[in-house]
Amino acid sequence: MESEVRGGVLHVKGEVTVKTVTSAAYGRFEQQCRLNETHTVDFSQVSRADSSCVSLLLTALRVKPSSIALQGLPDSVAALAELYEIKEWVNP
């Protein structure tokens, strides 16, 4: 998993799985979410995702509950959000 902020958008790319979301990668993602400039998290470049990706999007919503947008969620993450009954949190 890779993540970087460009123009206020936090871009997440690559595989976002239990094996790739290390504590260092998670910590970096959380710090990037906290930046004043970050207003959107874009998951459109994620090639593979599991429940770890759900954890990332919940982290973004926890860090900036009323000021962060989510875009480009993979279908697998949308399905997990529906399964976990949090679909309205990630797609209001």
Side-chain angles (χ1 to χ4, degrees):
M1 175 191 122
E2 297 176 39
S3 60
E4 74 173 314
V5 178
R6 290 189 319 259
V9 178
L10 174 50
H11 297 272
V12 180
K13 57 185 172 180
E15 292 191 9
V16 183
T17 66
V18 173
K19 292 182 180 181
T20 64
V21 181
T22 62
S23 43
Y26 177 82
R28 185 173 47 257
F29 175 83
E30 187 174 17
Q31 288 177 339
Q32 291 166 324
C33 284
R34 291 183 188 282
L35 295 173
N36 288 336
E37 68 183 277
T38 303
H39 57 75
T40 302
V41 181
D42 180 8
F43 293 94
S44 64
Q45 296 180 41
V46 171
S47 59
R48 185 173 177 202
D50 64 15
S51 59
S52 294
C53 194
V54 174
S55 176
L56 291 184
L57 68 89
L58 291 176
T59 296
L61 293 171
R62 177 181 51 81
V63 169
K64 289 190 171 176
S66 61
S67 62
I68 196 127
L70 305 172
Q71 67 184 28
L73 290 178
D75 291 339
S76 60
V77 174
L80 286 171
E82 189 168 348
L83 177 68
Y84 298 155
E85 298 181 359
I86 59 168
K87 185 177 178 179
E88 65 278 356
W89 296 358
V90 298
N91 268 335

